[in-house]
Amino acid sequence: MKRALLTIDNGVIGSISPDMRLSVLADRFMNEKRERRSVGTVQTYQVAVDAHIKPDIGDLAIREATPERLGHFISLVAQDHGHGAAKNTRSVLSGMMALAVRNGAILHNPVAEIERIEKHGRPGSVAIPVSELGAFLDAIEHDEILKRRGYVDLFRFIAGTGWRMGEACGLKWSAIDFEHGSITMCRIAKYVNGKGAVIQEFGKTHTSTRTIQAPTSVMTMLSQRKESQPENELDLVFPSSLGGVLDPNNAERALKQRRDDLGFPGVTSHSLRKCVATILDEHGLSARAIADYLGHSNPSMTQDVYMQRNLDSSTAASTLQQSLASLIK
């Protein structure tokens, strides 16, 4: 098979051939990703490379990386380290083999032929029933610990907009248009090893960046918060207690610590996001409209191509406001 050339970061020209070891291919893949991915994503990929790929299959040649071998390897990762580790490892392997395909070392990506690993055990976050959302909001409003730690408005915001925790923690006042009742999501907060909580100037996916019309109650809460909250150098709506970036993990942990006492065991911020989706679905909004409002990338290709985006943002806001008003006494 024809050998392919690849220019790597230090300017040295190297070749990718069917005989290249997966450990070397992994390094080439990571060099490429460092230029295109966020620090957090690169760190996640590197864990899969260092903890699983190199130790277990690093000596395999590209031509030896058959679907059968890779599938067995990923199954063992899932068995020994869990679904998340297996999913991340599969993603990295797929990217590595795609790099090999692009450079002529193999004709097809073997990872594409591997069955996906099914997740067993406890399910993910379950939406708070719409009928219980008001009780949840009332519970956090009266929880002295959450109030003292400054998390009540954060969870009220997520319950009213369906934003991801990282999106809410990354929100700046400059992204809020009080005159028109709209909020723009264009950055997120996230934890990075060695740096702590930082602001990433783009969202989780390419569809995360969006401008929504927010429910009136959310805008009222934000207006009151702006008047009472001390300014911070980063212009953050929900800063940490010291005025810096709030680590989304800390906010999630605070809810986890209080949820049993609140009477909502198992609830997470994602439960609130799912509840917002449920409200919009029950009121007849299309899957495309809900996906646009939540910044989700997953309705079908037909919906992505043939439906205009953001047309129902005001309808979504009105729907949420009606529901919130009826639930909160």
Side-chain angles (χ1 to χ4, degrees), residues 36-304:
R36 303 180 183 180
R37 297 285 186 174
S38 69
V39 174
T41 299
V42 170
Q43 287 182 343
T44 301
Y45 285 175
Q46 194 69 59
V47 168
V49 170
D50 294 340
H52 307 301
I53 294 173
K54 283 188 175 182
D56 296 338
I57 58 172
D59 288 337
L60 280 182
I62 292 175
R63 60 179 172 76
E64 296 174 324
T66 62
E68 180 181 9
R69 280 178 169 166
L70 297 184
H72 179 65
F73 161 64
I74 292 174
S75 295
L76 290 177
V77 174
Q79 177 181 311
D80 296 338
H81 303 281
H83 178 269
K87 182 178 178 181
N88 184 43
T89 301
R90 179 195 172 103
S91 178
V92 174
L93 269 179
S94 181
M96 289 168 51
M97 303 313 291
L99 178 61
V101 171
R102 291 196 301 272
N103 287 273
I106 50 177
L107 296 178
H108 305 288
N109 189 333
V111 180
E113 301 175 39
I114 300 173
E115 291 187 5
R116 295 196 175 274
I117 302 295
E118 295 295 331
K119 185 175 183 179
H120 300 291
R122 294 183 301 173
S125 301
V126 177
I128 292 179
V130 176
S131 60
E132 297 181 17
L133 179 59
F136 171 80
L137 294 174
D138 183 68
I140 64 171
E141 286 277 4
H142 292 88
D143 186 86
E144 293 300 325
I145 295 178
L146 290 179
K147 287 168 62 177
R148 185 168 63 249
R149 299 183 64 182
Y151 288 131
V152 174
D153 284 352
L154 173 64
F155 290 115
R156 288 177 61 195
F157 177 82
I158 295 173
T161 62
W163 279 27
R164 300 175 177 94
M165 177 62 79
E167 295 174 342
C169 292
L171 178 63
K172 296 188 177 184
W173 289 113
S174 58
I176 302 174
D177 184 342
F178 285 100
E179 181 179 355
H180 297 97
S182 62
I183 310 173
T184 298
M185 204 312 290
C186 53
R187 61 184 65 82
I188 64 174
K190 65 183 304 179
Y191 180 84
V192 175
N193 290 338
K195 295 184 177 181
V198 300
I199 294 295
Q200 174 180 291
E201 296 295 336
F202 51 89
K204 180 180 178 181
T205 69
H206 70 283
T207 55
S208 295
T209 299
R210 62 199 185 278
T211 297
I212 66 165
Q213 294 296 122
T216 304
S217 58
V218 170
M219 295 305 299
T220 299
M221 179 272 290
L222 290 173
S223 180
Q224 294 171 346
R225 183 176 180 84
K226 186 172 178 60
E227 292 181 4
S228 61
Q229 176 181 280
E231 294 184 1
N232 60 86
E233 292 184 359
L234 298 176
D235 191 41
L236 291 167
V237 177
F238 303 108
S240 70
S241 58
L242 298 178
V245 181
L246 176 60
D247 183 350
N249 297 321
N250 287 344
E252 201 69 68
R253 191 176 300 114
L255 178 58
K256 183 177 182 180
Q257 292 169 347
R258 298 300 302 150
R259 60 190 182 186
D260 286 345
D261 289 340
L262 293 172
F264 291 88
V267 69
T268 67
S269 66
H270 209 70
S271 302
L272 302 175
R273 180 170 165 81
K274 289 184 176 181
C275 185
V276 169
T278 300
I279 291 172
L280 299 180
D281 180 56
E282 288 180 351
H283 284 75
L285 271 73
S286 68
R288 176 72 273 170
I290 297 171
D292 286 346
Y293 198 78
L294 298 178
H296 200 267
S297 57
N298 238 354
S300 69
M301 178 64 70
T302 301
Q303 290 171 313
D304 283 335

